[in-house]
Every structure is written in structure tokens, then in C-alpha cells.
Amino acid sequence: MAKLKQRQEFSDTTIAMFFLAPLIIFLFGIIIYPMASSLYSSFSVVRLSPYQINFAGLQNYINIFSDQYFFHSLSVTARFVGEVVVITIGLSLGIALFLNEVLPFRGIIRAIILLPYALSEFTTAYTWRWFLSSDWGLLNGILYRLGLIKDYIWFVNYERSVEWMAVAYSWHIVPLCAFFMLAGLQTIPETLYMQAKIDGIGPIGRFFKITLPFIKYAILITLVLSTFFAATTTDIVILMTGGGPGISSTTLTYYIYTVVFKSFNLGYGAAISWFLIAIVLVLATLYFTFLTRIGKAR
Amino acid sequence: MVSVVLDNVTKKFGKVIAANELTFEVKDKEFFVLLGPSGGGKSTILNLVAGLERPDKGRIYFDDEDVTFLAPEKRNVAMVFQTYALYPHMKVFDNIATPLKVMKIPKEEIKRKVKEAAELLRIDHLLERMPYEISGGERQRVALARAIVRNPRIFLLDEPLSNIDAKLRVYARAELFKLQRRLGVTTLYVTHDQAEAMSMGDRIAVINQGKLIQIATPEELYHMPIDTFVGGFVGSPPMNFIDAVYKDKKLVIAGRYVITIPQNVMKIIEDLSLNEILLGARPEHVSINFDKTDPEDIEAEIYAIEYLGNETIVDLYNKDLGEDKIIKARIPWRFKDDVGRKVWMKFDKNNLYYFDAATQTNIFHLSAKS
């Protein structure tokens, strides 16, 4: 025993720390340091060449409230998020209900439906950009060949750019959300529907009395996920519309991107970022309070 | 007055035939049990009667009314599932009230009827609870209350007692039977438990692989099983089967043990010119002696003993009867723990069953048919 003890010079924790150290350093380098740095920047005026960082207190945050572009992009984000949430919940519920039926080739159908989520946001954005393009787009081509239009349509125009972006982004995340709902649907015992049929409850009643109570959690999770995904996505805006035409589809995230990488106003960009984080956190708190309240009421 | 008639009903699921040309009648106010192994098609029959499934072939009648293609809600039947299928998000009261609410009955009347049903099943103190807050036995009674509250024409009960613990189940059986008698509603009851079927059924239909094997009263089923399947399925521990050959007006087992048989049995075997006979002996009709008392006793070795308090199940082994054949004997007293001891077993000649080995059919049924 004594000999064994002598040989074991390091405690389990020490050994664990040794193996974890690279990961911890890595995480610190790519997450904690940048976050801290960005938080500090948000209270500073930053110049890049020559590099200079001067503490400016709350000035960046105060500027936000007099920035009309900020309010414009905030409203675009709100509109974008709202549309994505509505489309995503509606579509994913529909798809989940469809997939829950006994279908031939169910496995293949499920795999095909999951595909859009397997694509990167980059691919999604470009695919939709090409699909909707006003001069060589696929959709215009199809409609023209079918004789439905005489002139090519400018789909992603000043009024409708946000909607098309919402459609494209929903197309990307709907599969994931549909599978959350499908998981919920599959917990429902078949006998409940049989019982309901015998009790004389019609299809609509069965949906509201059986299906909906069983998948309300899945719906809430979908609501939370699609809100946060949509509020924080940048790729789709940069690659699909570039925030345009004009600034019609400039979301908050895209506005931050332009402030930081086009105007090189790092401090102000950081401040808006943190402001966005604050909004998202408030929303998250609201959602989860709601979730727990429903949980208790069951 | 409600009788249920199935006329040549067939239902297939892909290649599986869940109901195979079934024809039978359930009489008014009868407690009719569908008995058989799991996956044998019993639940499909209930679903067909409930209208949850449509037959591929055949007709279903309630009295003279053809209900084959009538929607479930129009049949006014009540069903209780093994899992009870209580709506998990509704209070017990709302669960019981659901069928009435759908019928758009005035609220006061619903309240009164739910209360009546709940009192009958002694769950009136649970009406404000949620299904997940009550015990399994209570849930089962809620499901029953929901079934009786609408005054259905027919009760369809799909293994309603299987999810209750064993001790409570014995009481639940008697209570359920009394309830059925009191309400006088024609009842179809599905179970795989032969004891449940025997104790509750006015008549029992044995179903296997979608086929109707035998319809009989519990007594008939026990004393005159139509084939080895019914013989083996009804009774616990199951009937022992022993291969025998008919030779010189006697049955010969394993080439050396001779069993004399009654005149009437002999006559049937000769009339049908049968040769290989499966001898059926229920464990309660096998006795054990330490000495040979009769020339027809068969020697055996005690293989295992299960002492159950009021009786003892003794497993007997004789290599000549089959390499892995165990003969079970039920002894109505405490049997001494003597595993490995040589004993003599004796079959009660008045209570043996004779099956034709080729068709597995009871020779009495064979002779009645021919």
C-alpha cells in the first residue's frame, strides 16, 4: 500500500487539469479574451492605424440612442425575427405532422426533409440568391417558361427583401425545428387518439385536446431557438442581400458588421453588439419564465 | 337489447392476417371474453367492433343494424384500454365528462352523471385531481367511469386489468364482473390471462393467429378443449402432453408403458382408425407414489419442486418420454424436498384428454364432426 501511495505523485485533479489545460487555454483564447476585449472596446474609442484605444465611458452607448440607422436596423431585425418565427413554427409543425404519419419510404423522406439544415448558411444564402436573382434566377426562369410572366420580376426589392430573407432563413432552420416537434409528436400514445375517436372528438378537437398539449414544449423550444437564431444570424444577410437594396434588409447584426468592418468604428460596433446581447438576454428570460410557468401548470 | 354479430370478418395488415374469417355472435348482456396469446388478433377484433378499423371482408351487426362502415362515434360503444388512455392534460372530472361534453349535454346533467359514475366506482374524491396524481388502480376506475358515464350499447375492454398489480387485480376482476352484471351491458373483454377469462366470462372465444379456435363456456373449455392449443392455453400450469401409440386396444407410451383406455375412447380411435395419439393430462390429474401400486404406473425422477403454500408443483422427468420432457404434477399438500428421488406417477384415467397427433384435435370433436 505504502509503495503504491508513493508512486502516485499527482492527485486525480492535477492530472485532469494537465489534460484539460490545452482546451481551457484554447477556449480562453477564442471566447473569453475576445468577449472581454469587445466589452472593453465598447467603452472606448478605438483607432486601428496607428492602434490606439482610449477609454470613453458610456459615450458609445449614449450614441446608440441618437443613431437613426440603429433604430432602422433594429426594426428590420424585429421584422425579420417575427417573420422567421411565424414561418418556422407553422411550417415545422406541418412537416412534423406529415412525417408522423405512416408513410411509405418514411426514412428516405425524413432524410430529404432534413437536408436544408445540413447545408451551411453560406450555401443557403447563395442558393436563394441565385434562385431569386432578377436577371438569371431560377424562379424567374421557371415562371417565364411556364408563360406566367412576361417580364422578369425583381423579387428582392426594397419592400420585400426582408421577407425573402426570412423565407430563405426559415427554409434553412425549419428541418431542425420540425424534428423537435416530431420528437414531441412521437411521445403521444396512439390509444389516446383511438379513445378520442370513440368519445366522438373530431380531428380539430383531437389536435387541440391531445396533440397540442403534448407538443407545447417542442413548440416553445422551437420558438426560443428560431428567435435567437434569427436575431443573431449575419451570414444570410451579408451573402444574400448585402443588407440591401439600399439599407432595406440591414439587420442589427449586419449593421454591426458594417460599423466594424467598413467604418472600422470598433468601439461603437462593440457597444451595439452588447446592446443586442442585452435584448436577447431579456427575451431569453421572458421565454424561460413562460416555459417554467407552463411547466408548473402542466 | 344489444347483440353483436361478426359475419365472416377478415382484416389484414400487410401480410399479417389479424382476423381470419371470423364468425360469432355475442349475446345480449353477455360477458364475452376473447382469450389468446399476445399478437393473436384479439385487440383487432375489438377495434373492428369499435369502428377504429374497417374490415377487409365481412360484416358487423349490432342487433339487426349493419355497423360495418359506421364511424366509431356513431356506434355508441365505450372502450377501456390497457393503458387506460386518460387524457393526461385534463382533470379526472373532465376525463369522465368528455364523451358527454361532445354530445352537448347540459352542464348540470353532465355534473350529475359524472358524479353518479364516480360514486359507483368510488372515485368521487378524485374528481379534481390530474391523472398523473392518482394510482394505477384509480386510473383504471377513472377509465371505467368514463366508459359507463355515456350509457353505451357495448363495452369493449382491452386488457383493462393487466396494468394493475397482481394483488389488486383479483379484487378488480370480481368488481368489474359485478359492475357488468349490474349495468347489464353487452361486454367484449380481451385478455391473454386464462384465469381472468375463466373467472369472468359467460363464454370464451379462444383466438390464435387471427383465427377463432373455440367458443365455449369456461367449463366446456376446461373439460372439452377442441385441440392441443386450447388444452395447453387454458389451465395453469399447462396441460402435459405425452406421445402415445394405439396398439391392441391400449395406448403405449415410449414403447413400454401401457395405458388402458375407456370403451368410448377406444371406439372413437378405431372408428377413425387413428394411430398416434397425444395424451393430455392436467397437472392436477397426475399423482405421485413412492411405490408402484398399479401395473400402469410410470417411473420418473423428481426434477424440481415448487412449493406454493397451498399446493406443490412437482416436475417429473423420465428420459423415455422425451429428452427434455417435463411432466408437471400438482400435489395439494406440502411435498417433501426430494429432488432426484425415483417415484411412480399415475394419471387419473377419468380425466385424461385424447388428441389426434396428426391434427392436434381432440378425438371427441373429430368424432362429432365425422
Side-chain angles (χ1 to χ4, degrees), chain B residues 17 27-28 41 49 52 72 75 80 107 114 170 180 212 240 277 299 354 360 369:
Chain B
I17 304 176
K27 293 174 194 150
D28 182 41
V49 175
L52 294 168
R75 297 190 183 196
V80 175
K107 269 196 173 160
V114 170
V170 185
Q180 194 268 347
L212 177 65
N240 300 298
I277 300 292
E299 60 189 313
Y354 306 90
Q360 304 273 309
K369 250 203 277 181

Side-chain angles (χ1 to χ4, degrees), chain B residues 286-313:
Chain B
V286 181
S287 55
I288 300 174
N289 289 310
F290 290 127
D291 305 303
K292 193 169 183 173
T293 55
D294 186 295
E296 293 189 5
D297 284 0
I298 297 174
E299 60 189 313
E301 180 186 311
I302 295 180
Y303 182 80
I305 290 173
E306 293 169 64
Y307 175 61
L308 299 172
N310 59 338
E311 61 185 22
T312 311
I313 308 296

Side-chain angles (χ1 to χ4, degrees), chain A residues 274-297:
Chain A
W274 282 96
F275 199 84
L276 177 60
I277 289 175
I279 296 173
V280 169
L281 280 179
V282 168
L283 268 180
T285 320
L286 283 177
Y287 277 147
F288 282 103
T289 329
F290 188 48
L291 252 177
T292 26
R293 186 143 18 110
I294 290 194
K296 269 183 200 147

Side-chain angles (χ1 to χ4, degrees), chain A residues 189-202 205-206 209-217 295-298, chain B residues 47 50 52-53 72-73 77-81 83-90 95 98-99 102-103 130 132 146 150 156:
Chain A
E190 187 58 34
T191 46
L192 276 183
Y193 289 111
M194 294 161 86
Q195 178 69 49
K197 278 184 197 167
I198 290 171
D199 284 347
I201 303 176
R206 291 202 289 272
K209 285 192 170 125
I210 302 171
T211 313
L212 210 53
F214 265 95
I215 58 167
K216 65 186 175 197
Y217 282 103
K296 269 183 200 147
R298 244 222 291 218
Chain B
N47 292 346
L52 294 168
E53 303 279 359
E73 69 270 16
V77 298
M79 197 153 170
V80 175
F81 294 90
T83 50
Y84 315 136
L86 299 183
Y87 304 115
H89 310 93
M90 293 184 198
N95 259 289
T98 298
V102 175
M103 291 180 216
M130 297 298 283
Y132 58 84
R146 180 173 57 182
R150 60 190 296 185
L156 303 169

Side-chain angles (χ1 to χ4, degrees), chain A residues 153-174:
Chain A
I153 297 172
W154 188 29
F155 291 109
V156 191
N157 56 28
Y158 201 87
E159 276 83 35
R160 292 285 154 254
S161 54
V162 180
E163 280 68 40
W164 283 111
M165 224 161 64
V167 167
Y169 193 67
S170 303
W171 181 80
H172 175 61
I173 63 169
V174 153

